[in-house]
Every structure is written in C-alpha cells, then in structure tokens.
Amino acid sequence: MTVEGRPPLPPPARTVFFVSDGTGITAETFGHAVLSQFEMRFRQIRIPFIDTLDKARDAARRINEVYASDNQRPIVFSTLVKHDLSGVIRASHGMHMDLFQTFVAPLEMELGVKSTHTIGRIHNVVDSEEYKNRIEAINFSLAHDDGQSHKNLAEADVILVGVSRSGKTPTSLYLAMQYGIKAANYPLIPDDFERGKLPSSLPPFKHKLFGLTIAPERLAQIREERRAGSKYASILNCRYEVAEAEMMMKREGIRWLSSTTKSIEEIATTVLQEIKPDRREF
Amino acid sequence: MTVEGRPPLPPPARTVFFVSDGTGITAETFGHAVLSQFEMRFRQIRIPFIDTLDKARDAARRINEVYASDNQRPIVFSTLVKHDLSGVIRASHGMHMDLFQTFVAPLEMELGVKSTHTIGRIHNVVDSEEYKNRIEAINFSLAHDDGQSHKNLAEADVILVGVSRSGKTPTSLYLAMQYGIKAANYPLIPDDFERGKLPSSLPPFKHKLFGLTIAPERLAQIREERRAGSKYASILNCRYEVAEAEMMMKREGIRWLSSTTKSIEEIATTVLQEIKPDRREF
C-alpha cells in the first residue's frame, strides 16, 4: 500500500552487512558514518558475535547469497580482530571494509609494538572500573531524574536545569551511559519563576549547573504531542516559561545552550566540553 | 600518592586526538576500537565541532604543540567530511587516520555515485523519524522501568523480566537510546515466586517477554553494594530468587540469557537479535 499521490520508495539499492566478533556496535557506527555520505538507501544486515570459524563461514555464505540474489556485491563493514576469521569473510563476494585490517598494521609500525589481536576487549569490560562507573552513573542519573531526589547532589558531575521537555532527561541518561557522567536534572517550573529563585536545593551546587533552553515554538510542538490542547502546551505559556527560565539562568550566571536543533549526542558532547574537558584516559 | 607495594603507573606513552566536525562520538568509537588492540595507555584529547577553517587551524596547532612537547607524533583519529578541513589537520605533525578519507573514495567507485561531503548528517537528525523514535523509546522505557506502569504494554517491543539487579534497567535504556526499541521491564519478586505466577499484567504479552538471569554470587555482590548486610543481598536469598526465577521462566517458556559476564551492549545486542533481526533500513 502506498500513500496516495506519493510514488512508492524505490527498493534499497544495495545490501550492507555489519560483521563483528563482538556486538557489532562499532562496525555499525563506522559503517553508518561512511554511508551517511551517500544519498542512497541501503538494506542493512547485522551479524554480531562471529567468534568462531564456523560462524564466519555461515556469515560468508549469507554474503554470497546476497551477492547472487542482488546481482551486485554487498558492502561489508567489519570489525574482526582475528586474521583467520576476517580471512574467511574477505574471501566472500563483498566489497570489504575492515576497520582493524586497515588501521591496526600502520599503528603497529608507528608504535613499534605488536597488537594483541584480542577479540572484543569489551568481553572483560564488566569488571573494569570504567564499566562500573557507567552503571553507577546510570543508576545515579535515573534516581536524580526530574528533581526526584535531593540526596547526594554533591556527587553529581553536572546538574541540568531547564523547563519541562527541554531535553534534560535524555541528555542526562546519554551522559551517564556514554561517558559515565553522573548527571542529575531539575525542572524549572512556574513556581520557581514566581518566587524568582532557583529550586532550593540547587544554589549550593551552582558551579555544577548547566542550562538547556529551547525555542518556544518547538517546545509547544513537543508538549502538544504529550498533552494536546493543554495550557501547558500552549504557545503563550511556552513563551512565558522559556523567557522566565532564560532570565533566571542569566541572572544566576548559569551557562546554557539551546537544544532546539541539537540531538542529544550534540547536547551531551557540548555539556561534556564545558564540565570535563579531556578528563578521560585509558 | 601510590598504593603501597604497587609501582606507580607509567605516564601514558602517547597522546591521541579525536578530531571531528560533529560530536566526535564516531571518531572516538573508531579510535577506541583500534587502540584497544594495544596494551598501552594513551592520553586522550577530544576536539569536536571542527566545522570551520579557523577551528581546524586551532586544532592543528594543538596537535603540533603535543608533537613538540611529547617529542613524538600524536595519533590523530578523525572524521572530517570536508576536504579543506581534513587537509588542514593532515598537514599537522600527527599520524593521521581519517575514516572518511580512507573509506569514502573506494565506496564512491563501487557505488558509481559521488558522496555528498555533508558535515554530520546528524545535524538534520532531530527532525528524522529515526531520531523521534529514539526519543519516544527513551520516554517509554523510563515510564515502564521496574514495572512502574502497566499502561500501553501493547506498544512495547520487548518486556525484560528478571530478579532485582539482574541488569534490566540499563539494558532497557540502552535498547531505547541506541536502537529506538521500546523496552519495558518488570522485576520478578518473592511474591511472584510464592504465587507461582508471572506478574498479572504480563501473560497477555508473553511473546514479548525476555528474561535476564545472573549468577547468585554476582547478584549478592551487586546487591551488597547497595544494601550491605541485608537479607535482600544475602547469598542464600540470592540463590533462592535466581533458582525460582529460572524455574518460572522455564515453565513459562520465556527465552533468557545470563547477564553475569555480559556488558549492557552485549545483552542489548543479543536481545535485539532475538526480537527484531534485521528490521532497520535507512
């Protein structure tokens, strides 16, 4: 069935495989970045956890089947550490782009050491400090979502503030999940604007505050999807709240950014630049 | 200060830069994967949002400064789409690994089309269906964390079940954030075991249930960190809960996996394989 008056989308021009000895998340991130440079649609097939020769042979068979049925080479993005596994894949009828084969050898030369050829160091990840910090940060951010808890705010790496639906919650969770940042978030609500003061638990942590604002039109649109026809979602109310919130942040000297056209990844990265530049080493 | 009896860690052998015209998340994912093959420590510097010649020149200057002070070339992982920007970076004294320069040209040949050289297509992401789905999935997963809500379970892509602290919450959030999967989660608690039945809102959605289990020793360790000395954290109780939960899942025909040694990325990827193989296209 097609939408009337609109031609049906053409079928995807090419099939793309993401083949990995681990989750395939790196292979997908890598492949998506490269493919995003092309104005084409791709059929995507993810083949994770290829860590034995048998599984690699199965994956190669699937690639060859697509080659036969599409009548053209599928694109294969892979992150396979072991030479024997990547060899099996490379022998199939695909156009092969392997992150490790491409970059590890030159880096061995540069560093003057051999690589370990270890499958997904991520396998040992659960016992690492970094992983534990991430899980702890997720728990912290969840417990401190939407001003739910005033406890342990001293532990927070950052406290996001802004009007309801300005993007605080997904940004907090992303900061925790991706970077292990303990991100609390507090809504700025009409009560705060009437009192003309920040929520009472925040002033002691002013150096950790970071504000999110948003264009009133965009905010009204987002709120409308949640509570259609409400005063909460009305453009007049959204204009009032945003103006008051920005005035308060200015008065209190809180750094802020507008989330209107930014993805949570972009907001999180900007916040990170502000609060913790270059802190990580591994 | 060093821990007694343990030699201090040597300083990181090399400096690594992640340079990007966008958030740098792809550059970091790419670089971390490659660096993880080396048993060395690296000092990491992230330089995101390099989208003008001036910013590129600043970044090149920082790379050259490190070259001078480290007395060796820093490693530079970059994802710069525009040739003029990547040219400025490549002219600096680093060892350069650029994802686009390496892979886009061969792909242009293979596909017979020119790439768009568009900086971070992610900039238009906020208006895309995929992005909206991710945000909606995050909201859904949050609202349906830990059995908080029985509403709209029909909308869930998956419902994770398992004893408290088996990894349901971070997995649900990761599925939502990374894949736009609406993942609810329900704890299995002693009340359920005594009744010998699944929580009452779940049976209609049995085909969407996916179980997480965990080794009792590991569970006791995790719970101990949260409620030291409690019955809840005791190894006897953990053994009881895990045995009952596994029995229940077996009896009800629920697929499950053990989260004991798996990262949330690995659990999420496995769940995804089970519930939605190959569903995404872009």
Side-chain angles (χ1 to χ4, degrees), chain B residues 146 163-166 168 187-190 216 219-241:
Chain B
D146 204 31
V163 300
S164 160
R165 296 288 133 190
S166 55
K168 301 181 301 300
L188 297 179
I189 59 175
L219 183 62
Q221 187 189 340
I222 294 170
R223 289 182 170 186
E224 187 68 24
E225 279 170 27
R226 296 184 64 92
R227 292 201 220 151
S230 63
K231 184 195 164 201
Y232 167 79
S234 73
I235 182 67
L236 272 180
N237 180 59
C238 288
R239 276 196 199 119
Y240 163 75
E241 286 194 30

mmCIF file of all heavy atoms in Angstrom, chain B residues 146 163-166 168 187-190 216 219-241:
data_model
loop_
_atom_site.group_PDB
_atom_site.id
_atom_site.type_symbol
_atom_site.label_atom_id
_atom_site.label_comp_id
_atom_site.label_asym_id
_atom_site.label_seq_id
_atom_site.Cartn_x
_atom_site.Cartn_y
_atom_site.Cartn_z
ATOM 1 N N ASP B 146 11.059 -0.886 35.798
ATOM 2 C CA ASP B 146 10.793 -1.554 37.070
ATOM 3 C C ASP B 146 9.296 -1.752 37.338
ATOM 4 O O ASP B 146 8.828 -1.588 38.476
ATOM 5 C CB ASP B 146 11.425 -0.710 38.200
ATOM 6 C CG ASP B 146 11.729 -1.558 39.434
ATOM 7 O OD1 ASP B 146 12.025 -2.763 39.275
ATOM 8 O OD2 ASP B 146 11.637 -1.030 40.559
ATOM 9 N N VAL B 163 15.090 -11.006 38.250
ATOM 10 C CA VAL B 163 15.144 -10.569 39.644
ATOM 11 C C VAL B 163 15.771 -9.171 39.710
ATOM 12 O O VAL B 163 16.429 -8.723 38.770
ATOM 13 C CB VAL B 163 15.976 -11.552 40.517
ATOM 14 C CG1 VAL B 163 15.356 -12.943 40.488
ATOM 15 C CG2 VAL B 163 17.442 -11.594 40.084
ATOM 16 N N SER B 164 15.524 -8.510 40.825
ATOM 17 C CA SER B 164 16.070 -7.173 41.046
ATOM 18 C C SER B 164 17.589 -7.187 40.898
ATOM 19 O O SER B 164 18.271 -8.051 41.432
ATOM 20 C CB SER B 164 15.668 -6.732 42.463
ATOM 21 O OG SER B 164 16.488 -5.697 42.933
ATOM 22 N N ARG B 165 18.131 -6.243 40.112
ATOM 23 C CA ARG B 165 19.573 -6.092 39.871
ATOM 24 C C ARG B 165 20.169 -7.145 38.932
ATOM 25 O O ARG B 165 21.355 -7.454 39.003
ATOM 26 C CB ARG B 165 20.382 -6.101 41.189
ATOM 27 C CG ARG B 165 20.088 -4.951 42.102
ATOM 28 C CD ARG B 165 20.650 -3.649 41.584
ATOM 29 N NE ARG B 165 19.647 -2.583 41.667
ATOM 30 C CZ ARG B 165 19.809 -1.400 41.100
ATOM 31 N NH1 ARG B 165 20.900 -1.129 40.415
ATOM 32 N NH2 ARG B 165 18.876 -0.491 41.201
ATOM 33 N N SER B 166 19.341 -7.646 38.046
ATOM 34 C CA SER B 166 19.887 -8.569 37.047
ATOM 35 C C SER B 166 20.293 -7.831 35.774
ATOM 36 O O SER B 166 20.755 -8.447 34.815
ATOM 37 C CB SER B 166 18.875 -9.687 36.732
ATOM 38 O OG SER B 166 17.628 -9.143 36.336
ATOM 39 N N LYS B 168 18.199 -5.321 34.146
ATOM 40 C CA LYS B 168 17.070 -4.952 33.294
ATOM 41 C C LYS B 168 17.046 -3.463 32.940
ATOM 42 O O LYS B 168 16.830 -3.101 31.782
ATOM 43 C CB LYS B 168 15.745 -5.309 33.985
ATOM 44 C CG LYS B 168 15.579 -6.776 34.337
ATOM 45 C CD LYS B 168 14.245 -7.061 35.001
ATOM 46 C CE LYS B 168 13.987 -6.309 36.290
ATOM 47 N NZ LYS B 168 14.959 -6.553 37.372
ATOM 48 N N PRO B 187 10.264 -6.461 37.391
ATOM 49 C CA PRO B 187 11.023 -7.319 38.304
ATOM 50 C C PRO B 187 10.235 -8.586 38.638
ATOM 51 O O PRO B 187 9.001 -8.552 38.698
ATOM 52 C CB PRO B 187 11.169 -6.441 39.553
ATOM 53 C CG PRO B 187 9.972 -5.545 39.533
ATOM 54 C CD PRO B 187 9.601 -5.334 38.076
ATOM 55 N N LEU B 188 10.936 -9.688 38.809
ATOM 56 C CA LEU B 188 10.319 -10.895 39.385
ATOM 57 C C LEU B 188 10.704 -10.895 40.864
ATOM 58 O O LEU B 188 11.894 -10.868 41.205
ATOM 59 C CB LEU B 188 10.839 -12.154 38.692
ATOM 60 C CG LEU B 188 10.516 -12.269 37.197
ATOM 61 C CD1 LEU B 188 11.104 -13.560 36.611
ATOM 62 C CD2 LEU B 188 9.001 -12.227 36.948
ATOM 63 N N ILE B 189 9.699 -10.892 41.727
ATOM 64 C CA ILE B 189 9.967 -10.732 43.160
ATOM 65 C C ILE B 189 9.416 -11.921 43.947
ATOM 66 O O ILE B 189 8.627 -12.714 43.427
ATOM 67 C CB ILE B 189 9.369 -9.409 43.695
ATOM 68 C CG1 ILE B 189 7.841 -9.383 43.450
ATOM 69 C CG2 ILE B 189 10.019 -8.205 43.010
ATOM 70 C CD1 ILE B 189 7.156 -8.171 44.064
ATOM 71 N N PRO B 190 9.855 -12.059 45.228
ATOM 72 C CA PRO B 190 9.422 -13.213 46.027
ATOM 73 C C PRO B 190 7.903 -13.419 46.019
ATOM 74 O O PRO B 190 7.438 -14.571 45.988
ATOM 75 C CB PRO B 190 9.971 -12.880 47.417
ATOM 76 C CG PRO B 190 11.252 -12.133 47.121
ATOM 77 C CD PRO B 190 10.921 -11.301 45.906
ATOM 78 N N PRO B 216 24.096 -16.239 41.199
ATOM 79 C CA PRO B 216 23.744 -15.748 42.543
ATOM 80 C C PRO B 216 24.907 -15.046 43.250
ATOM 81 O O PRO B 216 24.692 -14.033 43.936
ATOM 82 C CB PRO B 216 23.353 -17.031 43.290
ATOM 83 C CG PRO B 216 22.956 -17.992 42.241
ATOM 84 C CD PRO B 216 23.759 -17.665 41.025
ATOM 85 N N LEU B 219 25.158 -11.605 41.862
ATOM 86 C CA LEU B 219 23.994 -10.837 42.306
ATOM 87 C C LEU B 219 24.180 -10.357 43.743
ATOM 88 O O LEU B 219 23.930 -9.191 44.064
ATOM 89 C CB LEU B 219 22.732 -11.706 42.193
ATOM 90 C CG LEU B 219 21.416 -11.036 42.559
ATOM 91 C CD1 LEU B 219 21.104 -9.861 41.643
ATOM 92 C CD2 LEU B 219 20.258 -12.056 42.515
ATOM 93 N N ALA B 220 24.657 -11.280 44.607
ATOM 94 C CA ALA B 220 24.859 -10.935 46.021
ATOM 95 C C ALA B 220 25.863 -9.789 46.139
ATOM 96 O O ALA B 220 25.679 -8.855 46.937
ATOM 97 C CB ALA B 220 25.351 -12.159 46.793
ATOM 98 N N GLN B 221 26.908 -9.854 45.323
ATOM 99 C CA GLN B 221 27.947 -8.816 45.325
ATOM 100 C C GLN B 221 27.361 -7.452 44.924
ATOM 101 O O GLN B 221 27.596 -6.436 45.591
ATOM 102 C CB GLN B 221 29.002 -9.280 44.326
ATOM 103 C CG GLN B 221 30.275 -8.501 44.230
ATOM 104 C CD GLN B 221 31.084 -8.998 43.008
ATOM 105 O OE1 GLN B 221 30.888 -10.111 42.496
ATOM 106 N NE2 GLN B 221 31.989 -8.149 42.533
ATOM 107 N N ILE B 222 26.548 -7.436 43.861
ATOM 108 C CA ILE B 222 25.939 -6.182 43.394
ATOM 109 C C ILE B 222 24.967 -5.631 44.429
ATOM 110 O O ILE B 222 24.964 -4.437 44.744
ATOM 111 C CB ILE B 222 25.201 -6.406 42.051
ATOM 112 C CG1 ILE B 222 26.204 -6.755 40.946
ATOM 113 C CG2 ILE B 222 24.387 -5.178 41.667
ATOM 114 C CD1 ILE B 222 25.549 -7.227 39.640
ATOM 115 N N ARG B 223 24.137 -6.527 44.992
ATOM 116 C CA ARG B 223 23.153 -6.068 45.977
ATOM 117 C C ARG B 223 23.821 -5.595 47.267
ATOM 118 O O ARG B 223 23.352 -4.657 47.906
ATOM 119 C CB ARG B 223 22.157 -7.200 46.287
ATOM 120 C CG ARG B 223 21.201 -7.489 45.135
ATOM 121 C CD ARG B 223 20.213 -8.582 45.514
ATOM 122 N NE ARG B 223 19.146 -8.714 44.524
ATOM 123 C CZ ARG B 223 18.095 -9.515 44.682
ATOM 124 N NH1 ARG B 223 17.969 -10.252 45.779
ATOM 125 N NH2 ARG B 223 17.158 -9.576 43.749
ATOM 126 N N GLU B 224 24.923 -6.266 47.616
ATOM 127 C CA GLU B 224 25.656 -5.900 48.834
ATOM 128 C C GLU B 224 26.136 -4.450 48.756
ATOM 129 O O GLU B 224 26.142 -3.734 49.763
ATOM 130 C CB GLU B 224 26.844 -6.860 49.013
ATOM 131 C CG GLU B 224 27.609 -6.723 50.320
ATOM 132 C CD GLU B 224 26.814 -7.152 51.551
ATOM 133 O OE1 GLU B 224 25.860 -7.960 51.430
ATOM 134 O OE2 GLU B 224 27.137 -6.635 52.650
ATOM 135 N N GLU B 225 26.535 -4.027 47.555
ATOM 136 C CA GLU B 225 26.997 -2.644 47.394
ATOM 137 C C GLU B 225 25.871 -1.640 47.639
ATOM 138 O O GLU B 225 26.119 -0.501 47.981
ATOM 139 C CB GLU B 225 27.566 -2.438 45.983
ATOM 140 C CG GLU B 225 29.001 -2.941 45.854
ATOM 141 C CD GLU B 225 29.481 -2.965 44.409
ATOM 142 O OE1 GLU B 225 28.976 -2.167 43.594
ATOM 143 O OE2 GLU B 225 30.356 -3.800 44.102
ATOM 144 N N ARG B 226 24.635 -2.092 47.418
ATOM 145 C CA ARG B 226 23.511 -1.173 47.601
ATOM 146 C C ARG B 226 22.894 -1.266 48.987
ATOM 147 O O ARG B 226 22.493 -0.257 49.558
ATOM 148 C CB ARG B 226 22.446 -1.420 46.529
ATOM 149 C CG ARG B 226 22.990 -1.120 45.144
ATOM 150 C CD ARG B 226 21.945 -1.273 44.091
ATOM 151 N NE ARG B 226 20.846 -0.332 44.197
ATOM 152 C CZ ARG B 226 20.800 0.846 43.574
ATOM 153 N NH1 ARG B 226 21.793 1.255 42.846
ATOM 154 N NH2 ARG B 226 19.733 1.605 43.680
ATOM 155 N N ARG B 227 22.778 -2.501 49.513
ATOM 156 C CA ARG B 227 22.206 -2.658 50.860
ATOM 157 C C ARG B 227 23.044 -3.668 51.629
ATOM 158 O O ARG B 227 22.691 -4.847 51.728
ATOM 159 C CB ARG B 227 20.757 -3.155 50.772
ATOM 160 C CG ARG B 227 19.817 -2.129 50.186
ATOM 161 C CD ARG B 227 18.385 -2.416 50.585
ATOM 162 N NE ARG B 227 17.499 -2.182 49.458
ATOM 163 C CZ ARG B 227 16.353 -2.807 49.253
ATOM 164 N NH1 ARG B 227 15.947 -3.758 50.111
ATOM 165 N NH2 ARG B 227 15.606 -2.524 48.212
ATOM 166 N N ALA B 228 24.136 -3.154 52.152
ATOM 167 C CA ALA B 228 25.098 -4.021 52.836
ATOM 168 C C ALA B 228 24.433 -4.736 54.015
ATOM 169 O O ALA B 228 23.682 -4.135 54.779
ATOM 170 C CB ALA B 228 26.283 -3.197 53.315
ATOM 171 N N GLY B 229 24.708 -6.040 54.134
ATOM 172 C CA GLY B 229 24.251 -6.805 55.287
ATOM 173 C C GLY B 229 22.770 -7.136 55.299
ATOM 174 O O GLY B 229 22.262 -7.690 56.268
ATOM 175 N N SER B 230 22.052 -6.815 54.231
ATOM 176 C CA SER B 230 20.602 -7.062 54.216
ATOM 177 C C SER B 230 20.296 -8.516 53.856
ATOM 178 O O SER B 230 21.127 -9.209 53.266
ATOM 179 C CB SER B 230 19.934 -6.147 53.196
ATOM 180 O OG SER B 230 20.409 -6.437 51.900
ATOM 181 N N LYS B 231 19.081 -8.962 54.193
ATOM 182 C CA LYS B 231 18.633 -10.278 53.753
ATOM 183 C C LYS B 231 18.587 -10.282 52.226
ATOM 184 O O LYS B 231 18.971 -11.240 51.564
ATOM 185 C CB LYS B 231 17.244 -10.594 54.322
ATOM 186 C CG LYS B 231 16.786 -12.010 53.947
ATOM 187 C CD LYS B 231 15.298 -12.279 54.153
ATOM 188 C CE LYS B 231 14.908 -13.555 53.395
ATOM 189 N NZ LYS B 231 13.477 -13.649 53.112
ATOM 190 N N TYR B 232 18.106 -9.159 51.672
ATOM 191 C CA TYR B 232 17.997 -8.954 50.231
ATOM 192 C C TYR B 232 19.297 -9.296 49.504
ATOM 193 O O TYR B 232 19.294 -9.890 48.427
ATOM 194 C CB TYR B 232 17.619 -7.488 50.007
ATOM 195 C CG TYR B 232 17.738 -6.911 48.609
ATOM 196 C CD1 TYR B 232 16.760 -7.154 47.643
ATOM 197 C CD2 TYR B 232 18.823 -6.082 48.277
ATOM 198 C CE1 TYR B 232 16.860 -6.578 46.381
ATOM 199 C CE2 TYR B 232 18.917 -5.507 47.011
ATOM 200 C CZ TYR B 232 17.943 -5.762 46.064
ATOM 201 O OH TYR B 232 18.039 -5.201 44.823
ATOM 202 N N ALA B 233 20.436 -8.943 50.133
ATOM 203 C CA ALA B 233 21.735 -9.141 49.486
ATOM 204 C C ALA B 233 22.380 -10.474 49.842
ATOM 205 O O ALA B 233 23.389 -10.853 49.241
ATOM 206 C CB ALA B 233 22.679 -8.001 49.860
ATOM 207 N N SER B 234 21.801 -11.208 50.802
ATOM 208 C CA SER B 234 22.466 -12.427 51.277
ATOM 209 C C SER B 234 22.533 -13.468 50.176
ATOM 210 O O SER B 234 21.640 -13.581 49.341
ATOM 211 C CB SER B 234 21.710 -12.999 52.483
ATOM 212 O OG SER B 234 20.493 -13.573 52.039
ATOM 213 N N ILE B 235 23.599 -14.253 50.205
ATOM 214 C CA ILE B 235 23.793 -15.254 49.158
ATOM 215 C C ILE B 235 22.667 -16.298 49.178
ATOM 216 O O ILE B 235 22.201 -16.734 48.117
ATOM 217 C CB ILE B 235 25.194 -15.923 49.267
ATOM 218 C CG1 ILE B 235 25.411 -16.935 48.128
ATOM 219 C CG2 ILE B 235 25.419 -16.587 50.615
ATOM 220 C CD1 ILE B 235 25.504 -16.325 46.760
ATOM 221 N N LEU B 236 22.166 -16.612 50.375
ATOM 222 C CA LEU B 236 21.076 -17.596 50.448
ATOM 223 C C LEU B 236 19.842 -17.091 49.721
ATOM 224 O O LEU B 236 19.231 -17.784 48.905
ATOM 225 C CB LEU B 236 20.716 -17.886 51.911
ATOM 226 C CG LEU B 236 21.524 -18.999 52.575
ATOM 227 C CD1 LEU B 236 21.073 -19.177 54.020
ATOM 228 C CD2 LEU B 236 21.372 -20.317 51.783
ATOM 229 N N ASN B 237 19.488 -15.834 50.006
ATOM 230 C CA ASN B 237 18.320 -15.257 49.348
ATOM 231 C C ASN B 237 18.532 -15.107 47.842
ATOM 232 O O ASN B 237 17.626 -15.362 47.047
ATOM 233 C CB ASN B 237 17.988 -13.892 49.965
ATOM 234 C CG ASN B 237 16.783 -13.262 49.295
ATOM 235 O OD1 ASN B 237 15.692 -13.848 49.292
ATOM 236 N ND2 ASN B 237 16.983 -12.098 48.686
ATOM 237 N N CYS B 238 19.745 -14.701 47.452
ATOM 238 C CA CYS B 238 20.023 -14.551 46.025
ATOM 239 C C CYS B 238 19.901 -15.898 45.312
ATOM 240 O O CYS B 238 19.350 -15.982 44.214
ATOM 241 C CB CYS B 238 21.403 -13.945 45.802
ATOM 242 S SG CYS B 238 21.463 -12.182 46.255
ATOM 243 N N ARG B 239 20.406 -16.951 45.961
ATOM 244 C CA ARG B 239 20.281 -18.288 45.360
ATOM 245 C C ARG B 239 18.819 -18.671 45.180
ATOM 246 O O ARG B 239 18.413 -19.200 44.152
ATOM 247 C CB ARG B 239 20.984 -19.337 46.249
ATOM 248 C CG ARG B 239 22.448 -19.425 45.972
ATOM 249 C CD ARG B 239 23.083 -20.698 46.541
ATOM 250 N NE ARG B 239 24.517 -20.484 46.615
ATOM 251 C CZ ARG B 239 25.246 -20.505 47.721
ATOM 252 N NH1 ARG B 239 24.690 -20.815 48.893
ATOM 253 N NH2 ARG B 239 26.534 -20.258 47.674
ATOM 254 N N TYR B 240 18.030 -18.389 46.230
ATOM 255 C CA TYR B 240 16.603 -18.707 46.179
ATOM 256 C C TYR B 240 15.917 -17.954 45.037
ATOM 257 O O TYR B 240 15.242 -18.544 44.192
ATOM 258 C CB TYR B 240 15.942 -18.367 47.528
ATOM 259 C CG TYR B 240 14.434 -18.273 47.462
ATOM 260 C CD1 TYR B 240 13.647 -19.430 47.374
ATOM 261 C CD2 TYR B 240 13.790 -17.029 47.480
ATOM 262 C CE1 TYR B 240 12.264 -19.337 47.294
ATOM 263 C CE2 TYR B 240 12.415 -16.935 47.397
ATOM 264 C CZ TYR B 240 11.647 -18.095 47.306
ATOM 265 O OH TYR B 240 10.287 -18.004 47.219
ATOM 266 N N GLU B 241 16.133 -16.655 44.979
ATOM 267 C CA GLU B 241 15.436 -15.853 43.957
ATOM 268 C C GLU B 241 15.828 -16.266 42.542
ATOM 269 O O GLU B 241 14.976 -16.373 41.655
ATOM 270 C CB GLU B 241 15.729 -14.355 44.166
ATOM 271 C CG GLU B 241 14.997 -13.759 45.349
ATOM 272 C CD GLU B 241 15.042 -12.227 45.327
ATOM 273 O OE1 GLU B 241 15.095 -11.637 44.241
ATOM 274 O OE2 GLU B 241 15.027 -11.627 46.426
#
